[in-house]
Amino acid sequence: LVGAPASALRAGIMAAAAFLALATGRVGSWFTGVLLALVCMLAENPLLLRYDIGFQLSFLAVLGITVSSWQDELTFLRQEGWRGIVLQAVKTTFWVELFVLPLILYHFGTVAWFSLPANILLLPLVPLAMLASFLAACLGLLLPVSLSAFWSWPAYALLLLLTRFAEYFGNFPLIAFEGLRIGPGLLALWYALLIIVSFLRFIRKERAWYAKAFLSAA
């Protein structure tokens, strides 16, 4: 339906791996799913790693989401209710921007400053849109097509809101800063520091998990 871009193929492979793990009684892992999708896609076309910017941005964004999901020690980030939803959206957007921004600067030299508040506002609606679309597709297999307007309007309304919001604010003047292209040296330094920080967060997350497991066993 969407032309099978790199982002859709990556998502499809990760979803298939997650359902396969669920069906076989194994523990699913975001990181394992990312690696599986990466290996499968590069095995079919290794040139994606060098020439497909969409492929690069898609995997970097998923890595940002994965790192953001690791629990923080900061207590103010552990909120419940609507505050927790907002803070989680802010944290996820922040980490995704850290992963994709240097590559965008390297290839395009443009920073859309409104992407940060836009993602924070729209991110909570994305799971609802996905759920509504999934339900509409399932009902479409069971009910007559003539009645599709009745069960598909929630998905249509949410998707229309997301796209119209992006189109409306994307046409504003001074919505982006241009001429900020960075070189390969700064790009490599940025991702080297990001890998170090992500690895330290991963080690801290594993230590916290083992500590909780030990306390539970005790």
Side-chain angles (χ1 to χ4, degrees), residues 14-181:
M14 291 183 63
F19 284 119
L20 182 61
L22 182 64
T24 56
R26 296 179 178 271
V27 178
S29 170
W30 271 91
F31 190 68
T32 303
V34 172
L35 288 180
L36 177 63
L38 182 67
V39 170
C40 291
M41 295 178 69
L42 291 182
E44 194 275 333
N45 184 7
L47 297 179
L48 290 173
L49 189 62
R50 173 64 179 86
Y51 297 105
D52 194 326
I53 301 176
F55 171 87
Q56 300 166 11
L57 292 175
S58 177
F59 276 93
L60 287 173
V62 172
L63 288 176
I65 295 173
T66 302
V67 174
S68 72
S69 66
W70 296 340
Q71 188 175 12
D72 291 275
E73 294 181 352
L74 300 177
T75 55
F76 77 91
L77 291 175
R78 303 174 188 174
Q79 301 288 336
E80 301 294 337
W82 67 269
R83 289 185 178 180
I85 296 176
V86 173
L87 288 174
Q88 184 62 39
V90 172
K91 189 176 75 166
T92 302
T93 302
F94 172 76
W95 277 101
V96 170
E97 291 293 334
L98 282 181
F99 273 83
V100 303
L101 181 59
L103 192 65
I104 293 175
L105 291 176
Y106 176 75
H107 285 293
F108 308 108
T110 302
V111 176
W113 62 266
F114 192 71
S115 62
L116 184 60
N119 285 340
I120 294 173
L121 291 173
L122 299 180
L123 190 59
L125 298 179
V126 174
L128 297 177
M130 295 176 63
L131 177 61
S133 301
F134 176 75
L135 293 177
C138 293
L139 291 175
L141 297 175
L142 303 174
L143 300 177
V145 179
S146 58
L147 301 177
S148 61
F150 293 99
W151 70 74
S152 61
W153 71 264
Y156 174 78
L158 288 170
L159 294 174
L160 183 65
L161 175 62
L162 294 172
T163 54
R164 290 295 173 84
F165 184 93
E167 292 173 355
Y168 178 77
F169 287 100
N171 292 324
F172 274 26
L174 302 178
I175 200 69
F177 300 108
E178 300 181 356
L180 302 176
R181 191 181 300 271

Side-chain angles (χ1 to χ4, degrees), residues 67 70-71 73 95 192-208:
V67 174
W70 296 340
Q71 188 175 12
E73 294 181 352
W95 277 101
L193 294 175
L194 199 56
I195 289 173
I196 294 174
V197 173
S198 301
F199 179 75
L200 293 177
R201 282 176 58 86
F202 176 77
I203 295 298
R204 188 171 59 190
K205 177 185 78 73
E206 291 296 303
R207 288 177 179 175

